């Protein structure tokens, strides 16, 4: 169990695995140092001092992580807005607040214009699942188009010819590879020019592509499995914490109702 204010170990492992797998070393240094600075996050200035870089350099790297959904950042509000938020929530114990409201108490500073970096793990788990889904869809659609191609038109004078790397020069405006033979035409384009028959992959190339795609998926699954397993554990921990929060809130409401009922009987 992590100490108060510290980021749980499983949450740390998830961030470390993601940044180490997909980003250069300097991103890993910044991401792990931000983890070390606790769940409240850190100002850009303090993070820069900790890693001995300029604030401008820190913002450059952290902006990329923010763009990818790994970290979050916000500017500190002016003093009047901060004071109003503090006063509006000060009568409620911090641990009884929903996480989305805790942030309003969490990121408070006396300085204006500071920028604060922090983690939102409920958002991070959603980002990971979304990107994983998109990557698997992309792999399913991917094909290696520089293999062996042939013309399927039985009347084509070069139907037995195999096109390999030279097929790239045969890409038409519609994006397909088409037979270059003048006698092999199957229609016209929108501009009215004639189009050659669409070339197709040979059976051997289809088998090669299927094998390459299968190998790619296996390698990618091996690489992603620890991250996905960690993401699911973090998601479970977050769900349990949210359930406990709502259970505590309902318990407090029941206690309040009982107190009102007892008072009315007196």
């Amino acid at each position: 169990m992590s100490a108060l204010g510290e980021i749980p170990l499983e949450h740390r492992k998830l961030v470390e695995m993601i940044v180490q797998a997909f980003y250069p070393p300097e991103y890993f240094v910044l991401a792990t140092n931000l983890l070390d600075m606790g769940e409240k996050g850190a100002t850009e200035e303090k993070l820069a001092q900790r890693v001995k870089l300029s604030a401008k350099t820190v913002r450059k790297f952290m902006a990329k992580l923010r763009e990818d959904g790994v970290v979050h950042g916000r500017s500190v509000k002016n003093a009047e807005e901060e004071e109003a938020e503090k006063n509006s929530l000060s009568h409620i114990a911090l641990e009884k607040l929903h996480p989305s409201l805790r942030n309003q108490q969490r990121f408070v500073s006396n300085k204006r214009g500071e920028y604060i970096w922090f983690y939102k793990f409920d958002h991070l788990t959603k980002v990971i699942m979304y990107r994983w889904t998109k990557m698997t869809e992309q792999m399913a659609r991917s094909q290696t188009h520089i293999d062996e191609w042939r013309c399927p038109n039985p009347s084509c004078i070069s139907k037995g010819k195999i096109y390999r790397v030279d097929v790239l020069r045969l890409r038409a405006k519609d994006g397909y590879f088409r037979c270059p033979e003048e006698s092999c035409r199957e229609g016209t384009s929108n501009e009215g020019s004639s189009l050659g028959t669409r070339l197709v992959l040979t059976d051997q190339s289809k088998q090669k592509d299927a094998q390459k795609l299968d190998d790619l998926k296996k390698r990618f699954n091996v690489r992603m499995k620890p991250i996905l397993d960690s993401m699911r554990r973090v998601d479970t921990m977050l769900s349990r914490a949210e359930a406990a929060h709502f259970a505590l809130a309902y318990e407090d409401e029941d206690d309040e109702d009982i107190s009102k009922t007892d008072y009315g009987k007196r």
Side-chain angles (χ1 to χ4, degrees), residues 4-5 12 15 22 39 70 77 86 110-111 114 117 143 162 169 197 203 210 219 236 256 265:
L4 184 64
R12 290 181 59 94
V15 172
F22 298 105
E39 64 174 8
V70 180
K77 296 183 177 181
K86 286 167 55 180
N110 294 325
K111 295 183 180 180
E114 285 188 334
W117 295 103
Q143 291 289 340
I162 299 297
R169 65 180 177 83
T197 304
D203 291 340
R219 291 197 303 270
T236 299
E256 185 177 348
K265 292 179 179 179

Side-chain angles (χ1 to χ4, degrees), residues 32-188:
T32 53
N33 272 274
L34 183 59
L35 288 169
D36 292 338
M37 299 177 83
E39 64 174 8
K40 293 184 178 181
T43 64
E44 194 166 78
E45 181 181 354
K46 289 182 178 178
L47 182 58
Q49 291 173 352
R50 183 182 178 95
V51 297
K52 295 180 172 56
L53 293 172
S54 68
K56 182 178 180 180
T57 302
V58 168
R59 179 169 293 199
K60 173 185 173 183
F61 290 128
M62 296 301 286
K64 172 59 178 172
L65 294 177
R66 178 185 59 191
E67 179 183 339
D68 294 345
V70 180
V71 302
H72 282 256
R74 69 185 282 276
S75 295
V76 174
K77 296 183 177 181
N78 63 45
E80 293 78 11
E81 290 175 322
E82 287 181 351
E83 191 64 29
E85 282 187 347
K86 286 167 55 180
N87 292 336
S88 66
L89 299 173
S90 59
H91 64 287
I92 306 175
L94 182 62
E95 63 273 11
K96 292 185 179 181
L97 285 174
H98 189 271
S100 62
L101 295 178
R102 291 179 202 170
N103 292 339
Q104 297 184 28
Q105 286 191 341
R106 199 182 275 176
F107 310 116
V108 177
S109 171
N110 294 325
K111 295 183 180 180
R112 295 190 184 190
E114 285 188 334
Y115 203 82
I116 297 176
W117 295 103
F118 57 98
Y119 289 100
K120 288 180 66 175
F121 290 98
D122 56 338
H123 179 75
L124 179 58
T125 57
K126 293 180 176 67
V127 168
I128 295 171
M129 182 53 65
Y130 173 79
R131 291 186 178 276
W132 167 247
T133 302
K134 288 297 181 182
M135 285 187 286
T136 52
E137 290 176 354
Q138 184 177 357
M139 283 190 293
R141 293 193 299 265
S142 66
Q143 291 289 340
T144 305
H145 286 174
I146 307 179
D147 278 323
E148 295 182 344
W149 296 76
R150 64 176 181 82
C151 179
N153 185 355
S155 301
C156 180
I157 61 173
S158 63
K159 65 179 181 180
K161 182 176 180 179
I162 299 297
Y163 299 93
R164 294 186 177 85
V165 177
D166 57 337
V167 77
L168 294 176
R169 65 180 177 83
L170 302 179
R171 187 187 296 274
K173 291 182 178 180
D174 58 3
Y176 296 111
F177 300 130
R178 294 190 175 275
C179 182
E181 296 295 338
E182 290 295 330
S183 59
C184 187
R185 301 296 177 184
E186 66 171 12
T188 59

Side-chain angles (χ1 to χ4, degrees), residues 19 23-31 53 61:
V19 181
Y23 296 89
E26 54 266 28
Y27 289 89
F28 183 80
V29 171
L30 284 166
L53 293 172
F61 290 128

